[in-house]
Amino acid sequence: GANRERGVYRSGDGGRSWDKVLFVNDSSGIVDMSVDATNPDIMMATSWEFRRWPWVVKSGGPGSRVWKTTDAGATWREITAGLPELKGKMGVAISPADPRVVYLAIEAKDGQGGVYRSDDAGERFRQVSDDPRTWARAWYYMHIVADPVDADEVWVLNSGAMKSIDGGRTYMRIPDSHVDHHALWINPDDSDIMINGNDGGASVTLNGGRTWSSVMNQPTAQMYRVMTDNLYPYSVYSGQQDASGIVISSQTLGDGIGDHDWQTIRSGESATVGLDPENPKHVYTTFFASFLGEWDRDTQNYRMIRPYPERVTGEQPRNLKYRANWNGPVLVSPHDPDVIYYGSQYLMRSRDRGTSWEIISPDLTRNDKEHQGPGGYPISNEQITAESYNNVFNIEESPLLEGVIWVGSDDGLVHLTRDGGRTWANVTPEGLPESIINVVEPSPHDPAKAYFVAAAYKLNDFTPYIYRTGDYGETWEKKVVGIPGNTFARSVREDPDREGLLYAGTETGMFVSFDDGRAWQELQLNLPEVPVTDLRVRQKDLVVSTQGRSLWILDDLTPLHQISGAVAEADHYLYDPRDPYRSIARGYYAEGGPGENPPQGLQVHYVLNASVSDDAPVSMEILNASGSVVYAERTDDDSPECEASPRPRALTRRQGANRWTWNLRVGRFACLPEITATSPDLSAYWAAPGRYRVRFSVGDFSQARDFEILVDPRLTVCPRRCTRRRWRCRRGCWSSAGSRGSWTSSSSCLSPKRSASVAGP
């Protein structure tokens, strides 16, 4: 939005205070700056008149200018000689090798855009190249970098990284690690050494750009929405900017999660993913320009199933049969995996895996034709459907009632049907500004309850919007207390195991509410402060996607399910642990990766609200079904069983929340220093599946909780009838007998409607 904070700022005291020394206007900011390497009082800068709305880009105008100062920014004068009158975005570079040489990369009208050069220190320029590769899609690129040694060598960063050795006249594209280049640093002492920043990450060359290091060594992916299946271990699905959509395992048998644990799902970067979580053989993904495809997990085939074979790139959205967002929505019905929903300006449904489609709604957007025209002006027409507007953006069906479908648009409308699309109601809260309805979350506990998140940042509104309804959208309450007022929200989900436990992903991180949104608090922990684009709860884990730091999982939400006043009031407290799986045998597994596996074994959470004296004994014991202690750890047991291999200590007396881990092994091997020095784990054999108890003691205080070691569900067998249509095996069949559910190879299996309401993995 327009603001008077744009401009050049200067500090004379190391950054403690700043003065604005150049201001153009409230719609033009400074987009590039270059300093004379021989005289830092001489600088050149370019200003850019730019506004971006959800439906159009304005790049260029009177505010796009070239500036020069010779007194360290105290005064500036505009440079116009030899330059086009109408300019857009521009990059500038004063050659460190010869400061009389200055390069500009300029967005302008056809024939006038490209690279300009000055040989009199930036006083007068001449066009040396109109190569369209040097100024294509200008609002996204337009950086130019001069070599520190050779004044005739210059780099232009665009979709490709291009190098000129003849003063900017001709260019060759340099091999790179990834496309879409935005930054280049050249070592002033050795110009063969460079660092390049691109849409894939960062890479280094030591030989002038002939070869580059990989971008696959840094978790910098920008993820869109996230989905999970319900297998064991479950997989995580997401689309990643400037790469393909992926599916990746949430845990492995190795020492970490690596690139061998994911695969592409053949979709484009902006994928939204839809799947049947119980049987994710067919995965549906959207992509910009109305692409919609089905990926077959078993054959790796990708089949285009878009509702209408129309080339939308370059066409004004008002002329399209079906409009399409950059990352349009797709949903597989939680009640019938044969039903797929897709969003254009309508909600569309297919019952035959996308072979045919039917429209089951009216236009669910504002349908403002003034916002469906060309995608850019006055120079570029950014019309690759990135700016298509008035589209359905999010589709969610209640997991409790079939046919209750919530739809959010990218222009701020929420619609609801309760009869599978036969009738619709506009349930948008009164006063909600025009915005992206980024996520609608039907409650997994009450079909009348739902939440949504609206993001209005594209219209210069950065306040959070989270709403809740308990009556099918007839009334709404805004629920943002505790979230900073300038931190817009992106996603909200309700925990399926505790009603009213909410998670919110925002532009600056994670928040949690224990009271149905009345108050929020941070849930950041070790998560980087980074935009959280989406989140899902699966098998008592919280899975989040981020912009710039890839995918993260918060393992084991059971403490959050149990937090209550009783926990805070007690001196000490032992949480009910999550039942662990006795995993299949590892054998020798050499593969690993930088992704972390979840903690293995039994995770026991406990709280010490009161301080514990140094002489008070603290212990954690594991008892079998007959009451015998099969494993124990005590803080007052200082005698090592084996000096060459001391037992690792996980128990602590630290005040506050703590976690203790049991590796599910019983007994200890004898101490053999010659062997155990290199193999320090003396744990003997795996505990058998079955019922156990954990007992926590602090001095005279003692508390016990029951748990069960479960069989790895991959070893269970489904009855034949689970394969019938509308009956699905839950990766082994689920038995809810007794107070605890467990995986079993019994003959019971569940219909889709039944499975939606059963708590379990």
Side-chain angles (χ1 to χ4, degrees):
N3 67 82
R4 300 192 62 81
E5 296 173 348
R6 304 175 189 272
V8 173
Y9 290 77
R10 180 182 66 182
S11 174
D13 56 10
R16 288 186 293 275
S17 62
W18 292 87
D19 297 310
K20 183 161 61 175
V21 294
L22 175 61
F23 175 75
V24 181
N25 60 51
D26 62 6
S27 291
S28 302
I30 305 304
V31 69
D32 204 6
M33 182 182 289
S34 185
V35 182
D36 185 333
T38 64
N39 183 356
D41 286 348
I42 300 174
M43 293 177 282
M44 295 198 69
T46 57
S47 59
W48 181 26
E49 185 167 321
F50 176 72
R51 287 291 299 276
R52 187 176 185 180
W53 294 269
W55 55 87
V56 70
V57 166
K58 179 185 186 294
S59 182
S64 290
R65 306 180 191 179
V66 178
W67 304 88
K68 181 177 180 180
T69 179
T70 56
D71 55 9
T75 60
W76 297 82
R77 57 190 174 89
E78 184 183 359
I79 303 296
T80 60
L83 300 178
E85 181 178 355
L86 177 61
K87 299 178 287 294
K89 188 177 182 182
M90 294 175 285
V92 61
I94 302 174
S95 171
D98 182 353
R100 295 171 300 176
V101 176
V102 183
Y103 292 98
L104 288 169
I106 297 180
E107 175 192 13
K109 290 289 188 179
D110 287 346
Q112 298 180 314
V115 176
Y116 285 69
R117 173 173 169 152
S118 170
D119 291 292
D120 57 4
E123 297 295 326
R124 175 178 294 273
F125 286 86
R126 70 185 190 281
Q127 187 183 36
V128 292
S129 174
D130 64 353
D131 188 334
R133 298 176 301 168
T134 63
W135 63 286
R137 209 174 182 218
W139 70 272
Y140 198 57
Y141 305 109
M142 300 306 289
H143 292 289
I144 190 165
V145 181
D147 185 86
V149 177
D150 186 347
D152 286 329
E153 187 170 304
V154 63
W155 292 74
V156 174
L157 306 182
N158 205 279
S159 177
M162 290 166 292
K163 179 181 178 181
S164 173
I165 59 174
D166 57 6
R169 290 188 292 275
T170 62
Y171 293 87
M172 52 185 170
R173 182 166 177 171
I174 302 301
D176 52 35
S177 59
H178 199 280
V179 297
D180 292 348
H181 300 269
H182 303 284
L184 183 69
W185 173 80
I186 306 176
N187 189 324
D189 299 320
D190 185 348
S191 59
D192 280 344
I193 300 174
M194 292 181 278
I195 304 175
N196 172 236
N198 55 59
D199 272 14
S203 51
V204 175
T205 180
L206 304 178
N207 54 24
R210 291 192 297 274
T211 59
W212 295 85
S213 64
S214 173
V215 296
M216 300 297 288
N217 54 17
Q218 46 201 278
T220 54
Q222 173 182 319
M223 315 306 293
Y224 282 85
R225 298 192 185 277
V226 67
M227 285 291 289
T228 58
D229 60 32
N230 201 27
L231 308 184
Y232 179 82
Y234 63 86
S235 294
V236 181
Y237 303 74
S238 188
Q240 53 178 337
Q241 173 64 30
D242 230 55
S244 66
I246 62 166
V247 53
I248 184 169
S249 180
S250 61
Q251 64 175 294
T252 70
L253 294 175
D255 293 329
I257 304 171
D259 55 8
H260 47 272
D261 298 306
W262 80 64
Q263 58 182 314
T264 174
I265 52 180
R266 309 298 176 192
S267 66
E269 56 190 320
S270 57
T272 296
V273 180
L275 52 85
D276 174 10
E278 312 303 335
N279 181 22
K281 171 178 168 58
H282 296 123
V283 178
Y284 300 92
T285 57
T286 62
F287 186 30
F288 72 76
S290 77
F291 281 61
L292 173 63
E294 177 198 76
W295 174 69
D296 189 307
R297 175 197 60 196
D298 299 333
T299 66
Q300 300 290 302
N301 180 61
Y302 189 82
R303 181 172 65 95
M304 190 63 66
I305 59 171
R306 61 197 300 177
Y308 189 69
E310 182 178 28
R311 180 67 177 179
V312 305
T313 303
E315 183 56 82
Q316 295 183 30
R318 63 165 66 104
N319 299 328
L320 299 176
K321 183 178 180 67
Y322 301 127
R323 297 190 295 271
N325 201 279
W326 173 263
N327 52 331
V330 63
L331 173 74
V332 175
S333 171
H335 304 279
D336 186 346
D338 294 334
V339 173
I340 311 163
Y341 296 105
Y342 170 70
S344 54
Q345 67 268 42
Y346 312 110
L347 181 64
M348 310 177 75
R349 179 173 62 199
S350 174
R351 300 183 186 273
D352 52 14
R353 292 173 45 201
T355 302
S356 61
W357 292 90
E358 58 179 330
I359 297 173
I360 62 170
S361 79
D363 191 319
L364 299 177
T365 75
R366 298 179 189 270
N367 194 22
D368 184 347
K369 296 303 181 184
E370 293 299 314
H371 292 166
Q372 298 171 22
Y377 75 99
I379 300 174
S380 62
N381 179 16
E382 179 57 22
Q383 190 55 265
I384 60 168
T385 73
E387 306 311 319
S388 178
Y389 196 55
N390 301 143
N391 308 290
V392 169
F393 200 73
N394 188 226
I395 308 165
E396 295 290 347
E397 185 174 15
S398 168
L400 303 176
L401 282 182
E402 187 171 3
V404 176
I405 305 170
W406 301 82
V407 173
S409 70
D410 64 3
D411 55 11
L413 299 183
V414 182
H415 283 86
L416 171 68
T417 177
R418 297 172 63 178
D419 53 15
R422 287 187 292 274
T423 59
W424 287 86
N426 184 339
V427 295
T428 309
E430 185 177 354
L432 181 72
E434 193 162 346
S435 53
I436 304 169
I437 307 301
N438 207 53
V439 165
V440 183
E441 168 74 349
S443 171
H445 302 280
D446 180 353
K449 187 168 68 169
Y451 311 82
F452 77 80
V453 164
Y457 67 94
K458 289 188 177 183
L459 291 168
N460 202 35
D461 179 357
F462 296 88
T463 56
Y465 295 101
I466 302 176
Y467 284 81
R468 173 197 179 277
T469 181
D471 53 14
Y472 291 104
E474 290 188 17
T475 60
W476 293 90
E477 296 178 279
K478 192 176 180 181
K479 301 288 187 180
V480 295
V481 174
I483 298 177
N486 60 349
T487 299
F488 65 90
R490 290 180 174 270
S491 185
V492 64
R493 305 290 179 193
E494 185 178 22
D495 196 297
D497 292 295
R498 176 174 175 174
E499 186 170 4
L501 175 57
L502 306 182
Y503 309 98
T506 75
E507 182 67 2
T508 59
M510 279 297 305
F511 289 81
V512 62
S513 172
F514 295 94
D515 53 11
D516 216 12
R518 285 187 287 274
W520 294 89
Q521 56 186 290
E522 284 191 355
L523 185 65
Q524 200 65 19
L525 304 175
N526 61 323
L527 182 69
E529 187 168 313
V530 64
V532 175
T533 56
D534 200 8
L535 52 98
R536 298 282 178 176
V537 179
R538 177 63 71 187
Q539 296 177 17
K540 297 182 172 62
D541 288 347
L542 179 61
V543 184
V544 305
S545 55
T546 75
Q547 280 190 339
R549 292 300 298 272
S550 304
L551 299 165
W552 289 71
I553 298 176
L554 180 60
D555 299 294
D556 193 1
L557 298 171
T558 52
L560 300 186
H561 299 158
Q562 301 168 52
I563 284 179
S564 65
V567 178
E569 294 168 3
D571 288 341
H572 313 300
Y573 195 87
L574 177 66
Y575 287 108
D576 198 9
R578 178 169 66 172
D579 293 338
Y581 286 111
R582 164 74 185 276
S583 183
I584 55 179
R586 289 178 50 158
Y588 181 74
Y589 199 93
E591 293 178 326
E596 294 179 83
N597 271 315
Q600 299 299 303
L602 176 72
Q603 310 303 311
V604 179
H605 298 266
Y606 62 97
V607 177
L608 299 175
N609 286 324
S611 60
V612 180
S613 63
D614 293 340
D615 58 352
V618 178
S619 66
M620 198 75 75
E621 299 170 301
I622 303 297
L623 295 78
N624 61 19
S626 63
S628 301
V629 175
V630 295
Y631 186 88
E633 183 178 329
R634 298 176 175 85
T635 58
D636 57 350
D637 182 6
D638 297 326
S639 58
E641 292 176 296
C642 182
E643 292 185 0
S645 177
R647 180 185 297 193
R649 300 290 181 178
L651 192 61
T652 175
R653 61 178 72 237
R654 182 180 61 247
Q655 189 169 357
N658 297 273
R659 182 174 67 186
W660 177 80
T661 301
W662 175 42
N663 64 2
L664 303 187
R665 293 196 178 188
V666 174
R668 301 276 288 174
F669 287 117
C671 178
L672 300 172
E674 297 82 3
I675 298 176
T676 56
T678 57
S679 300
D681 188 1
L682 295 182
S683 299
Y685 54 90
W686 290 101
R691 296 189 178 278
Y692 291 82
R693 171 170 290 190
V694 56
R695 185 166 61 202
F696 174 53
S697 300
V698 181
D700 296 332
F701 168 85
S702 184
Q703 191 172 14
R705 301 289 188 185
D706 294 330
F707 67 94
E708 184 176 0
I709 299 179
L710 305 175
V711 176
D712 190 311
R714 289 169 290 189
L715 303 180
T716 61
V717 178
C718 284
R720 183 180 301 276
R721 70 190 182 100
C722 280
T723 62
R724 293 171 52 194
R725 185 177 182 272
R726 294 186 60 81
W727 289 82
R728 293 164 296 157
C729 170
R730 295 178 62 86
R731 194 71 173 181
C733 288
W734 177 257
S735 170
S736 57
S739 61
R740 292 176 177 272
S742 63
W743 290 97
T744 175
S745 57
S746 71
S747 60
S748 63
C749 60
L750 303 169
S751 72
K753 291 184 180 180
R754 171 66 175 149
S755 65
S757 62
V758 173

